[in-house]
């Protein structure tokens, strides 16, 4: 009934014997955990693997990784950490890149990957997911039963990580955000007790948009749906930078007319260096996805074909395969922990401001030429449809930005070298975002919590409305007064 501990000298020894003999780390905790739990101590390969992160910049540091196997394990780790005055952080696939998590030093990593179950209720209306389950596991298990629900787009990201901050995904156009699907959550609170949170709890507001601040979710019960449109199609276009004005004007005119993209479309583009096509300037890779068709309709494609792309390709198939077509699959570069500082500078917009787009592009192009160490950097421009998101009242959950048409994010990437390069990277990200912000005409930068860099203000992340921030502050004071869950976009 004891957890397995691994250290530098002996990779896996199970039970009390191995634990006592080695005495490597957190021995008294091991005796409180279920037999499928593991503790990985510094020096072991497992510890090293478990603590790799999607972004290396200002990463948290840990004195042990505890791979929990049950809800009870999570409760015990939190109690143990409190008894020893240790900070702790729940981690799924470590894609959380906000620099505030770097304030956690020498803590306990609570690795959630074994909590990956998917169970559909008998009536087929809901499913319960483990708190560490990843998107692909949910999509595949539901699909096998003719069901689906809203998850993030990438196969490698968890459901709960995005969901606690809202959670964008392709099915949001029909059903709302990931968090709009929640029916209830089991959550381990700051003192290690367990709470079931649903619409009757005052925390219900907070867990849907600011949930990282209140506890560790061990399971989620979520709405699920019969698959309505099994098939999707996509069309990709590669454009050189001289087509930028025409491309984004076309999107404004054909997709965002009347401030609302058609419900069956998703568009996104990436502005990136590709020396094989243009040695000096970034190119634009533009995708259109359409639901319920085997080929993206001619009328949708025609205005973009008319611009004269360098190349174009297309494909189609069932919804679960979609991430692998567009670079969001488990094997895609974007999913890997590749030793890069991966920093995002998000901003939400209603339309593309063409002048701002050009200035942003030129700055990116010039800077990547001047500082080659930054030339893996890209700008990500995502256009999710919003009908399902707008169908929920903005007053009922902490997520503050219902109705933003576009989620843009300069993604500044580099191999960490020194403070100078880190500053140049941050300056580039901030400057690109500032151009987009000025072009938006908005006073406050709207910055999606799950993409935030980490230096944004409380207002920029949790919204302009004073009542929303006041309510969050009051709930934080009530449920987590000592800030045990204040490492990811803290409410303060
Ligand atoms: C490749 C990639 C693709 C992405 N795609 C999308 C997308 O399609 N839609 C979208 O909205 N966002 C997306 N994001 C952003 C994503 O929402 C955030 O990066 C999010 O933090 C990732 O969650 P994670 O669980 O995978 O990462 P982790 O680093 O494991 O977790 C992030 C944070 O969530 C908290 N946390 C984790 N597990 C729990 C738990 N069980 N209970 C309570 N708190 C917990 C912790 O504070 C942790 O620091 C993407 C990010 C990347 C890198």
């Amino acid at each position: 009934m004891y957890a397995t501990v691994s250290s530098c000298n002996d990779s896996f020894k199970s039970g009390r014997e191995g634990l006592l003999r080695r005495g490597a780390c957190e021995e008294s905790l091991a005796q409180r955990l279920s037999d499928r739990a593991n503790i990985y101590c510094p020096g072991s390969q497992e510890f090293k693997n478990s603590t790799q992160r999607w972004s290396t910049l200002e990463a948290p540091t840990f004195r042990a990784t505890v791979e929990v196997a049950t809800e009870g394990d999570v409760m015990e780790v939190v109690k143990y950490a409190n008894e020893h005055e240790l900070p702790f952080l729940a981690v799924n696939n470590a894609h959380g890149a906000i620099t505030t998590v770097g304030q956690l030093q020498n803590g306990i990593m609570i690795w959630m990957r074994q909590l990956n179950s998917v169970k559909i209720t008998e009536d087929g209306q809901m499913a319960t997911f483990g708190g560490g389950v990843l998107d692909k596991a949910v999509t595949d298990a539901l699909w096998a039963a003719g069901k689906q629900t809203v998850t993030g787009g990438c196969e490698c990201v968890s459901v709960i990580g995005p969901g606690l901050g809202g959670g964008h995904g392709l099915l949001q156009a029909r059903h709302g955000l990931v968090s709009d699907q929640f029916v209830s959550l089991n959550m381990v609170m700051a003192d290690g007790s367990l709470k079931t949170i649903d619409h009757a709890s005052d925390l219900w507001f907070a867990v849907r948009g600011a949930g990282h601040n209140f506890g560790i979710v061990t399971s989620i019960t979520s709405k699920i749906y019969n698959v309505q449109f099994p098939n999707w199609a996509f069309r990709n276009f590669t454009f050189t930078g001289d087509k930028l004005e025409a491309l984004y004007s076309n999107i404004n005119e054909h997709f965002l007319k009347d401030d609302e993209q058609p419900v069956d479309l998703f568009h996104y583009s990436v502005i990136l260096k590709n020396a094989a096509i243009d040695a000096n300037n970034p190119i634009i890779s533009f995708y259109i996805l359409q639901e319920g068709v085997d080929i993206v309709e001619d009328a949708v494609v025609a205005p973009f074909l008319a611009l004269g792309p360098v190349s174009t390709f297309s494909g189609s198939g069932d919804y679960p395969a979609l991430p692998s077509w567009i670079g969001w699959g488990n094997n895609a570069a974007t999913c890997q922990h590749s030793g890069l500082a991966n920093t995002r500078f998000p901003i939400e917009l209603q339309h593309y401001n063409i002048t701002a787009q050009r200035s942003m592009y030129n700055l990116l192009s010039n800077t990547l030429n001047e500082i080659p160490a930054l030339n893996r950097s890209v700008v990500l421009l995502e256009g999710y449809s919003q009908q399902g998101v707008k169908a929920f009242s903005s007053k009922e959950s902490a997520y503050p930005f219902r109705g933003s048409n576009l989620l843009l994010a300069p993604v500044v990437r580099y191999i960490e070298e020194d403070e100078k390069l880190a500053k140049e990277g941050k300056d580039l990200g901030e400057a690109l975002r500032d151009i987009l912000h000025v072009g938006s005409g908005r006073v406050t930068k709207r910055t999606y919590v799950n993409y935030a860099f980490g230096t944004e203000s409380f207002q920029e992340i949790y919204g302009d409305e004073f009542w929303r921030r006041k309510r969050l502050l009051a709930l934080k004071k009530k449920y987590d007064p000592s800030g045990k869950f204040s490492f990811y976009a803290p409410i303060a």
Side-chain angles (χ1 to χ4, degrees):
M1 283 297 286
Y2 299 120
T4 302
V5 173
S6 118
S7 80
C8 45
N9 299 325
D10 32 18
S11 57
F12 272 101
K13 291 207 173 192
S14 57
R16 194 184 188 98
E17 191 195 334
L19 188 72
L20 290 176
R21 192 173 67 224
R22 213 171 38 256
C25 70
E26 320 308 337
E27 293 84 359
S28 58
L29 173 60
Q31 300 180 36
R32 295 161 63 165
L33 302 179
S34 70
D35 52 6
R36 283 190 301 114
N38 295 303
I39 300 180
Y40 304 124
C41 305
S44 69
Q45 190 58 42
E46 291 82 0
F47 177 81
K48 197 172 166 198
N49 294 345
S50 69
T51 51
Q52 302 292 311
R53 298 182 64 79
W54 184 71
S55 177
T56 59
L57 189 74
E58 297 187 38
T61 65
F62 299 103
R63 50 188 276 152
T65 297
V66 182
E67 185 187 353
V68 289
T70 65
E71 187 168 75
D73 287 342
V74 180
M75 297 167 73
E76 284 305 321
V77 182
V78 170
K79 287 177 192 163
Y80 172 89
N82 287 340
E83 286 156 20
H84 294 80
E85 297 184 355
L86 297 172
F88 53 87
L89 188 72
V91 175
N92 302 307
N93 217 0
H95 285 100
I98 189 165
T99 56
T100 52
V101 292
Q103 287 161 21
L104 188 153
Q105 293 293 307
N106 198 31
I108 295 190
M109 172 173 147
I110 304 179
W111 201 8
M112 304 290 290
R113 69 172 178 169
Q114 284 196 48
L115 299 187
N116 60 359
S117 56
V118 178
K119 288 186 195 122
I120 299 174
T121 55
E122 266 181 30
D123 65 6
Q125 305 289 308
M126 292 182 277
T128 299
F129 310 135
V133 76
L134 304 185
D135 287 343
K136 183 170 168 52
V138 166
T139 298
D140 287 354
L142 294 184
W143 191 261
K147 302 283 179 181
Q148 57 187 177
T149 194
V150 187
T151 67
C154 273
E155 291 180 343
C156 53
V157 171
S158 75
V159 174
I160 200 65
L164 291 174
H168 291 291
L170 291 171
L171 298 182
Q172 72 171 51
R174 300 277 172 196
H175 306 299
L177 300 166
V178 174
S179 58
D180 294 329
Q181 314 315 311
F182 293 172
V183 178
S184 69
L185 306 176
N186 271 13
M187 195 177 239
V188 174
M189 308 302 292
D191 62 358
S193 64
L194 184 70
K195 219 173 160 48
T196 298
I197 296 159
D198 61 14
H199 65 93
S201 165
D202 56 355
L203 270 180
W204 190 231
F205 171 83
V207 293
R208 295 168 303 146
H212 311 90
N213 270 273
F214 292 95
I216 300 178
V217 176
T218 52
S219 66
I220 324 149
T221 297
S222 168
K223 289 181 248 175
I224 59 172
Y225 307 91
N226 291 332
V227 175
Q228 209 183 340
F229 302 101
N231 54 333
W232 283 70
F234 79 92
R235 184 80 180 243
N236 173 274
F237 308 80
T238 297
F239 292 107
T240 46
D242 57 311
K243 301 289 166 59
L244 176 138
E245 282 84 355
L247 169 62
Y248 292 102
S249 299
N250 257 358
I251 300 173
N252 281 343
E253 187 184 334
H254 296 285
F255 287 8
L256 299 175
K257 206 167 43 179
D258 305 325
D259 205 30
E260 191 155 271
Q261 180 168 269
V263 69
D264 60 339
L265 293 181
F266 167 73
H267 79 269
Y268 96 102
S269 52
V270 186
I271 304 179
L272 75 165
K273 279 281 223 188
N274 182 334
I277 297 174
D278 185 333
N280 299 316
N281 301 299
I283 56 129
I284 309 169
S285 177
F286 172 58
Y287 280 91
I288 303 172
L289 276 76
Q290 191 170 23
E291 171 197 74
V293 294
D294 292 326
I295 182 163
V296 180
E297 289 166 356
D298 288 347
V300 174
V301 165
F304 300 96
L305 270 184
L307 301 182
V310 176
S311 61
T312 169
F313 62 96
S314 60
S316 65
D318 282 346
Y319 173 77
L322 191 156
S324 61
W325 311 331
I326 58 173
W328 293 0
N330 274 331
N331 297 326
T334 189
C335 270
Q336 310 312 313
H337 296 175
S338 43
L340 296 175
N342 261 314
T343 58
R344 287 168 297 204
F345 298 84
I347 183 151
E348 309 213 355
L349 305 175
Q350 291 314 108
H351 297 93
Y352 294 107
N353 176 321
I354 305 305
T355 313
Q357 288 288 107
R358 171 53 67 191
S359 305
M360 176 268 290
Y361 175 94
N362 287 348
L363 177 63
L364 179 75
S365 182
N366 293 338
T367 312
L368 301 195
N369 288 335
E370 278 162 25
I371 312 175
L374 296 179
N375 71 11
R376 296 176 176 84
S377 304
V378 305
V379 178
L380 181 62
L381 308 94
E382 296 175 283
Y384 293 95
S385 295
Q386 294 292 328
Q387 290 83 345
V389 181
K390 286 195 261 182
F392 289 82
S393 161
S394 173
K395 295 205 163 131
E396 284 174 16
S397 70
Y399 179 76
F401 303 135
R402 285 177 197 275
S404 294
N405 284 330
L406 301 169
L407 173 56
L408 273 60
V411 187
V412 179
R413 297 179 164 146
Y414 53 94
I415 296 169
E416 285 193 71
E417 277 174 17
D418 53 23
E419 281 181 15
K420 179 170 172 284
L421 183 61
K423 181 174 181 321
E424 286 168 341
K426 179 168 182 292
D427 289 349
L428 173 62
E430 295 282 20
L432 294 170
R433 174 163 62 179
D434 283 348
I435 292 171
L436 297 169
H437 177 220
V438 170
S440 77
R442 284 195 176 120
V443 177
T444 309
K445 280 177 212 155
R446 293 181 168 190
T447 61
Y448 179 40
V449 60
N450 285 321
Y451 285 13
F453 175 72
T455 49
E456 295 86 350
S457 69
F458 183 35
Q459 186 169 352
E460 285 168 342
I461 290 182
Y462 292 107
D464 266 334
E465 301 100 327
F466 178 69
W467 65 265
R468 190 187 301 280
R469 302 197 308 271
K470 190 173 161 200
R471 191 164 169 187
L472 285 174
L473 283 167
L475 288 165
K476 184 75 176 172
K477 197 168 163 199
K478 177 173 172 188
Y479 287 102
D480 185 26
S482 51
K484 309 261 182 217
F485 299 106
S486 288
F487 295 107
Y488 190 97
I491 291 172

